[in-house]
Amino acid sequence: MLFNSLEYPVFLAVIFFLYWFVTTGKTARNLLLVTAGYVFYGWWDWRFLSLILISTCVDFSVGLALGRTENKQKRRTLLALSLVTNLGILGTFKYYDFFADSFANLLTAAGLQVNPISLNVILPVGISFYTFQTLGYSIDVYRRKIEPTRDAPAFFAFVSFFPQLVAGPIERAGQLLPQFQQTHTFDAKTAREGLGLILWGLFKKVVIADTCAVVANFIFANHAAQGPLVLAVGAICFAFQIYGDFSGYSDIAIGSARLFGFKLMTNFRTPYFSRDPAEFWRRWHISLSTWFRDYVYIPLGGSRGRRERVILNVMATFTLSGLWHGANWTFVIWGFLNSLYYLPSLWQGKKKTGRTEETGKLPSLDALGDMAGTFALITLAWVFFRAPDLGTALAYLSGFFDFFIFTGLAQLNQMTGGSFYGLFVLIPFLLAVEWLHRDQEHPVPVDHFPTLLRRPVYYAMALAVFVLMEHQQAFIYFQF
Amino acid sequence: MRRFLFKTTLWLVGFFLILKAVGMLDNLDRTNENILRIRQVGTLSNLDVLFVGNSYTHTGIDPLQLRESGLETYSLGINAAGVAFYRLLLDDYTRQTGAIPKTIMLLVSPMSFSRFADTFPSIPIHRYLYHPLSNETVAWRFGAPYDQLLRRSFRKGLANAPLLFTAEEESADMKEMLTYRGFVPSRMTFSGKVHPEIAASYEPLSRDPFPMDSLEDLQDLALEYRNKGARVVFYELPTGEAPGLFHAQFLDDYERALADLKKNGFEVLRIQWDTRPLDFRNMDHLNSRGAARATGAIAEYLSEKPGTAAGGHAEESVR
């Protein structure tokens, strides 16, 4: 079920009603949320519910078993069972064909003819998200960071919580699981904030991201006929498309969770105001970045040790993070490129947090330069993320060196049905809202406005969403 | 909780009311050819023949040519019309004029039974009538997608809002159409080649089954107007390449449907000749030359077979 479909508000209203008016007590409510999660996921394809069920059962059992034994060898074996199950499912459904084909291509290049066996399975929606979430639980129990839970309904609800099931935020068991182990009481203010976040998230997705998508899709599909300026517009549009799309999803997820009294982690903190790539990665898809930091980068050795080792750790973590996004070399290169961006900040010793928040009402020229430079680097890398294959990405980038700078610009608005000009309003609007609320955890643009002003703005946003929702476009991160 | 629910409900009601209020302006447009046709035909209470059909009708039937045969005629061809549109158009016409045309000609073609027929969200004919129907009514009666109807009405209403304060002139094309009583003459000639993009847009037709329930609705409509005293004739115009868009089973079922109509005592007039691209303005719509031939064939048929309201005529094929 898509958040930007008409089924979702109906589904949400039904679950809200059942949660607050029909069920009482945490177990009954957790069972309701499990059912809701399975219905939500099964709406797309019920067959793949079995994968969630397997992951959940294995990690719940592994957690219990880890809690019963102090034997190191046994504990390692149990963790291995969780890792093999979860990464095995992920590997089979997401990566098998990619690696089999890549291996076959390598052998063919070496002069050996092979016919790889392809599984050609459908990629289950959101598999990378819930797999990482449930895997994180087993690792945390193994590390004794959290106690294993014996509350099966709570654990099942934790894994299949519908607001964040298919595209995150990837929650930590230590943060979210305890919320399923308490009985929530309704708080109107939290619920109202939740609704505001849902609306703002929908606006970012349906109005901003989907409009950017029209322009980006056109330019990427016809990149060979465009000059450098239009190619730059295409990359910038994709940068805002993916931001509006994914942060919009996160806002809807966080808002939906709030309706039930749950607090999900922040996933984006105005990333395009970052002043260097390292800061960007502390502000973009925070739940995944911190997952890789805690479960991959630090176990590899983190920033400790010799410089060569640290470089290797950073590169490995970013490259794996790229691969997490999709089974394609474009994602691997995207991750690798970002690791190169990240490295200088390791030794510069720059202050790590709060740089954007500390900036005055308007950014200084120095800060503005840093932001623009960072945005340019990140946007360049997005070309690999967006392109269907490496050849297209390289051809796109080579187009930046074309002599005829303005080729294609005059026709762009007409070819995109007026969407291009629309972006001159939408993108500055998004940036202005984000800038003004950069010190807030989840900014909803008009939340602090007086009622008389707030209502019309909310209505205008809702109407824009409703009208533009006609051509439902799936969220980009669903495919991961 | 109670307060939260009350305020949320109130907000949603407000949202719905804004949608409805703006959507009510969706039929103010005076340059919409469908609105203009409906408004014009609603002033003609003395029609001998009313042609109802889709765009094949408004490009293929020339009422002024039929006037030469002494017949007061109107070409009420509305884009994407199917059985549901026919029903609304006829009911609205009779309600507005208080009259029933002596002869009602209802177009039949594979396209008027296809998924491209009766597409209320793209051609919201119910809103263009003299006595407009609400989106709710149409969604309920014809199963049209309600959200799309609301969306369309809101968009159109928003675009039409300035018309509340300005006078809008009919364009030259629209004036010509009104002069020709709904007919849209075209001097363009089909090149004989269908653009791949256009062919691709029709591709879903090759998978669709023939909708038997539409046939029943069509017979009910025809029977109802025959009982009211009108002579009802089903007519088919040449449609060039269009039949090739459907699969064989669909076309077989369509032929059976026409045989069914004939068996039930309805007149079925199939206008056929060895068509050439020269007779068409595009893949499946007649141009002025084709329209003259088709209209001539109909005039000949009507003069040769004056018919009666009770019907009971056999299939005729005019070549």
Side-chain angles (χ1 to χ4, degrees), chain B residues 27 35 37-44 92-93 95-97 125-133:
Chain B
N27 50 11
I35 293 179
R37 270 198 197 95
I38 291 168
R39 300 291 151 145
Q40 189 183 29
V41 78
T43 62
L44 307 170
D92 190 61
Y93 171 79
R95 187 176 166 195
Q96 176 59 24
T97 59
I125 202 70
H126 60 292
R127 301 293 307 142
Y128 299 159
L129 302 173
Y130 256 104
H131 308 280
L133 298 177

Side-chain angles (χ1 to χ4, degrees), chain A residues 6 20-21 459 466-467 470, chain B residues 1 11 147 151 154-155:
Chain A
L6 285 177
W20 292 113
F21 293 101
Y459 276 131
F466 180 74
V467 170
E470 192 161 12
Chain B
M1 170 68 97
W11 192 88
D147 61 310
R151 209 170 271 138
F154 180 79
R155 270 189 183 164

Side-chain angles (χ1 to χ4, degrees), chain B residues 73-113:
Chain B
T73 310
Y74 198 86
S75 180
L76 189 55
I78 302 288
N79 298 338
V83 184
F85 278 26
Y86 295 178
R87 156 74 65 189
L88 295 181
L89 290 167
L90 279 175
D91 289 353
D92 190 61
Y93 171 79
T94 50
R95 187 176 166 195
Q96 176 59 24
T97 59
I100 304 232
K102 292 185 186 75
T103 301
I104 296 172
M105 304 283 290
L106 296 175
L107 179 81
V108 281
S109 80
M111 203 60 87
S112 56
F113 289 102

Side-chain angles (χ1 to χ4, degrees), chain A residues 6 16 20-21 186 188 191-192 195 199 259 455 458-459 462-463 465-471, chain B residues 1-2 4-5 7-8 10-16 18-19 121 146-148 150-151 154-155:
Chain A
L6 285 177
F16 180 86
W20 292 113
F21 293 101
F186 183 78
R192 198 176 59 77
L195 288 177
L199 183 56
L259 290 176
R455 287 245 166 89
Y458 273 144
Y459 276 131
L463 289 167
V465 168
F466 180 74
V467 170
L468 294 175
M469 228 163 80
E470 192 161 12
H471 309 290
Chain B
M1 170 68 97
R2 207 176 293 168
F4 170 78
L5 287 179
K7 286 179 91 169
T8 307
L10 205 64
W11 192 88
L12 288 172
V13 169
F15 176 73
F16 184 72
I18 294 173
L19 272 181
Y146 182 54
D147 61 310
Q148 289 183 35
L150 274 184
R151 209 170 271 138
F154 180 79
R155 270 189 183 164

Side-chain angles (χ1 to χ4, degrees), chain A residues 89 92 96 136 205 219 234 239 249 261 335 368 405 408 443:
Chain A
I89 290 173
T92 309
Y96 174 82
K205 160 64 183 162
I219 295 172
Y249 183 94
L368 208 58
I405 297 173

Side-chain angles (χ1 to χ4, degrees), chain A residues 105-430:
Chain A
N105 289 341
L106 194 70
L107 291 179
T108 307
L112 296 167
Q113 272 301 325
V114 285
N115 293 315
I117 302 165
S118 292
L119 295 179
N120 289 325
V121 287
I122 306 166
L123 177 64
V125 164
I127 189 170
S128 306
F129 287 92
Y130 67 76
T131 305
F132 269 37
Q133 182 160 311
T134 178
L135 187 59
Y137 166 78
S138 290
I139 298 172
D140 284 351
V141 173
Y142 173 78
R143 289 176 175 174
R144 300 182 205 279
K145 276 182 140 185
I146 56 169
E147 285 296 311
T149 180
R150 292 173 190 284
D151 186 345
F155 186 75
F156 274 65
F158 159 72
V159 179
S160 63
F161 190 39
F162 70 87
Q164 44 88 240
L165 174 61
V166 291
I170 302 168
E171 288 291 330
R172 300 304 173 78
Q175 198 265 334
L176 184 59
L177 193 51
Q179 297 185 54
F180 287 100
Q181 291 166 326
Q182 65 192 65
T183 308
H184 294 271
T185 49
F186 183 78
D187 177 40
K189 187 172 174 289
T190 308
R192 198 176 59 77
E193 282 171 4
L195 288 177
L197 265 175
I198 292 173
L199 183 56
W200 177 231
L202 279 170
F203 187 84
K204 279 203 272 187
K205 160 64 183 162
V206 176
V207 181
I208 297 174
D210 288 354
T211 308
C212 288
V214 174
V215 182
N217 290 346
F218 171 77
I219 295 172
F220 272 85
N222 303 283
H223 64 88
Q226 314 299 334
L229 198 59
V230 174
L231 293 177
V233 168
I236 291 168
C237 281
F238 181 69
F240 282 100
Q241 178 196 349
I242 195 163
Y243 177 57
D245 192 288
F246 195 20
S247 72
Y249 183 94
S250 293
D251 286 346
I252 301 168
I254 293 164
S256 300
R258 284 196 181 181
L259 290 176
F260 303 93
F262 288 83
K263 192 173 186 318
L264 299 182
M265 70 182 291
T266 303
N267 219 12
F268 293 87
R269 290 179 72 90
T270 58
Y272 287 148
F273 296 135
S274 304
R275 295 177 61 174
D276 59 61
E279 188 184 4
F280 175 83
W281 281 106
R282 287 189 296 275
R283 295 173 171 279
W284 178 274
H285 201 176
I286 298 166
S287 65
L288 181 73
S289 307
T290 51
W291 199 99
F292 270 99
R293 183 196 66 200
D294 294 347
Y295 301 117
V296 178
Y297 181 64
I298 291 174
L300 284 174
S303 311
R304 287 163 295 162
R306 288 183 301 137
R307 175 171 292 200
E308 296 79 12
R309 177 68 201 193
V310 175
I311 291 174
L312 203 66
N313 292 343
V314 168
M315 286 184 164
T317 306
F318 269 99
T319 308
L320 273 175
S321 157
L323 194 60
W324 175 91
H325 284 83
N328 193 325
W329 287 109
T330 51
F331 293 115
V332 176
I333 299 290
W334 171 76
F336 180 74
L337 201 55
N338 274 293
S339 74
L340 297 182
Y341 293 165
Y342 190 87
L343 286 174
S345 64
L346 275 179
W347 293 284
Q348 278 177 355
K350 277 188 180 173
K351 194 178 171 187
K352 284 190 172 177
T353 52
R355 300 185 71 208
T356 303
E357 286 76 7
E358 284 171 10
T359 317
K361 275 188 179 170
L362 287 172
S364 63
L365 275 180
D366 180 34
L368 208 58
D370 287 349
M371 288 175 197
T374 306
F375 179 74
L377 285 174
I378 297 295
T379 300
L380 209 62
W382 284 134
V383 172
F384 285 95
F385 194 98
R386 170 61 179 75
D389 51 64
L390 273 184
T392 307
L394 293 174
Y396 193 101
L397 290 174
S398 67
F400 282 118
F401 299 100
D402 197 293
F403 183 73
F404 300 101
I405 297 173
F406 298 104
T407 306
L409 190 65
Q411 299 83 23
L412 191 55
N413 193 51
Q414 192 194 349
M415 299 305 285
T416 56
S419 295
F420 177 52
Y421 286 171
L423 295 179
F424 286 95
V425 176
L426 293 174
I427 292 177
F429 173 70
L430 175 69

